[in-house]
Amino acid sequence: MAVEVIAHRGASGYAPENTILAIQKAIDYGADYIEIDVQLTQDGHVIAIHDDTVDRTTSGKGKVRELNFSEIQILDAGSWFAPEFQSEKVPLLSEILDLDFKNSHLIIEVKNVNNINKGIENKIVELVRNSQLQDQIIYKSFSTEVLERFNNLDPGKKTLYVTIGPVFGLFVIDDWLRWGSLFDLKFVDMIQVHRLLISKSIIQKAHQRKLKIIAWDVHSPEDILKMKKLGVDLIETDFLDRVLNLN
C-alpha cells in the first residue's frame, strides 16, 4: 500500500529549506503534503524560516523577532546550501500562499514556545482565509497551546500534533516533557512521532481513533521501507522522491 509523503521544509534535500524554490520543487515532484516553518518578524510579517535566528540559513545574524522584514528580505538564503542558490530569499507566507499547489497540501508549523511570537496564529489564520488554499491547509505544532489557539481561531481546519514520542507510557516529549498521552488532544487529525519511537502499537491506537500517523526524520531508503512495513500513513522526509519511488 502506498504511503503519503510530506516534503520537509519543501524539497529540502535538493534546495535551500523553506524557500520558494524548495517548495516549488516539492509541488513539481507531486508531494502529497509540503511542510514549512514560520516565524514572526519585529514588524509583524509572517515569514518562512525554521530557526528563531537568521544565522544558520542566511547571510545575516540576529533573532527573527528583532529584525524587520526589510532587513531579512535582502539576505542571501541559499548560499549556505550551495553557491548556485545565492539568489534565494526568505519568503513571506503570503508569497507561498499565492503559489499553485495543485494537488499538494500545505502544512504550516508554528513552534511559538512560551508565546514568544505573540499573535502569530491570528496573522496566519487571516492570511489563510484570504488565500485560495483554505481547503489545503493544515496547522502543525509541538505545542498543545498553539494547536488549541488554532482550533479556536479556525475551527474545522485540520491540525497536526508533532512529538518526539511517548516515554514509558506516562510522558510525551513535545515542546517539553509532558505528563500524558499522545492522544490527549481530541480535535487533532494527525499525530507525528519520530521514527525511533514509533511502533505498531502507536499506529494501531491512532487508527482506532481515526487519526493519521506520521513518521518523521525518515531519509534513507532503509528507514523508508521500515516505516512502510510498520504501517504509517505518512512519511516526512527531505528526499520525497525516495518515498515516491518506493511506493
Side-chain angles (χ1 to χ4, degrees):
M1 183 172 137
V3 63
E4 292 186 300
V5 61
I6 301 174
H8 179 233
R9 305 178 196 172
S12 58
Y14 304 104
E17 65 182 55
N18 286 313
T19 61
I20 294 292
L21 180 61
I23 294 162
Q24 189 61 58
K25 280 181 176 291
I27 294 170
D28 294 342
Y29 268 123
D32 299 291
Y33 299 83
I34 298 165
E35 185 254 14
I36 62 168
D37 308 277
V38 295
Q39 302 279 354
L40 194 62
T41 65
Q42 186 177 51
D43 52 344
H45 290 280
V46 183
I47 62 172
I49 188 168
H50 176 271
D51 301 357
D52 60 3
T53 75
V54 299
D55 299 28
R56 180 177 64 87
T57 58
T58 80
S59 56
K61 290 190 177 300
K63 292 183 178 180
V64 174
R65 65 179 179 275
E66 295 176 357
L67 296 169
N68 291 328
F69 180 62
S70 60
E71 298 173 279
I72 295 173
Q73 70 179 150
I74 62 173
L75 300 176
D76 169 359
S79 290
W80 68 273
F81 187 85
E84 61 264 32
F85 297 113
Q86 64 178 341
S87 62
E88 290 305 306
K89 303 297 180 183
V90 176
L92 291 161
L93 176 59
S94 59
E95 294 178 278
I96 295 168
L97 291 170
D98 282 340
L99 297 174
D100 180 4
F101 272 71
K102 301 178 183 176
N103 294 321
S104 299
H105 291 75
L106 177 63
I107 299 172
I108 303 172
E109 179 173 357
V110 178
K111 292 181 175 60
N112 203 17
V113 176
N114 298 323
N115 205 18
I116 58 172
N117 286 313
K118 189 173 182 180
I120 190 172
E121 298 90 356
N122 301 66
K123 289 181 178 291
I124 292 169
V125 168
E126 182 180 356
L127 289 167
V128 166
R129 284 178 174 162
N130 290 326
S131 78
Q132 301 300 309
L133 296 178
Q134 290 194 52
D135 296 332
Q136 293 166 264
I137 299 294
I138 296 165
Y139 301 128
K140 168 184 174 180
S141 187
F142 278 91
S143 168
T144 58
E145 292 180 1
V146 167
L147 292 175
E148 286 170 356
R149 282 196 286 271
F150 275 124
N151 189 54
N152 291 329
L153 289 166
D154 203 358
K157 191 72 82 247
K158 289 186 175 180
T159 51
L160 191 169
Y161 175 42
V162 54
T163 74
I164 304 296
V167 182
F168 305 125
L170 299 173
F171 302 95
V172 177
I173 307 173
D174 43 36
D175 58 353
W176 62 297
L177 186 62
R178 178 178 66 80
W179 177 278
S181 163
L182 285 173
F183 307 106
D184 287 341
L185 297 183
K186 303 305 179 186
F187 55 82
V188 300
D189 303 278
M190 299 176 170
I191 293 178
Q192 190 163 334
V193 178
H194 191 272
R195 61 179 170 81
L196 295 178
L197 291 180
I198 206 157
S199 66
K200 282 195 173 182
S201 174
I202 288 172
I203 295 167
Q204 289 169 355
K205 288 176 182 177
H207 289 169
Q208 287 169 3
R209 293 165 172 80
K210 301 188 184 306
L211 300 172
K212 287 192 173 183
I213 194 80
I214 303 161
W216 62 277
D217 189 27
V218 184
H219 308 301
S220 71
E222 294 78 14
D223 283 337
I224 291 168
L225 284 172
K226 182 178 179 180
M227 293 302 106
K228 283 173 62 68
K229 287 178 180 177
L230 274 176
V232 301
D233 300 294
L234 303 98
I235 289 174
E236 185 182 84
T237 181
D238 295 349
F239 303 97
L240 68 160
D241 57 317
R242 295 177 184 175
V243 179
L244 294 171
N245 290 339
L246 287 170
N247 272 339

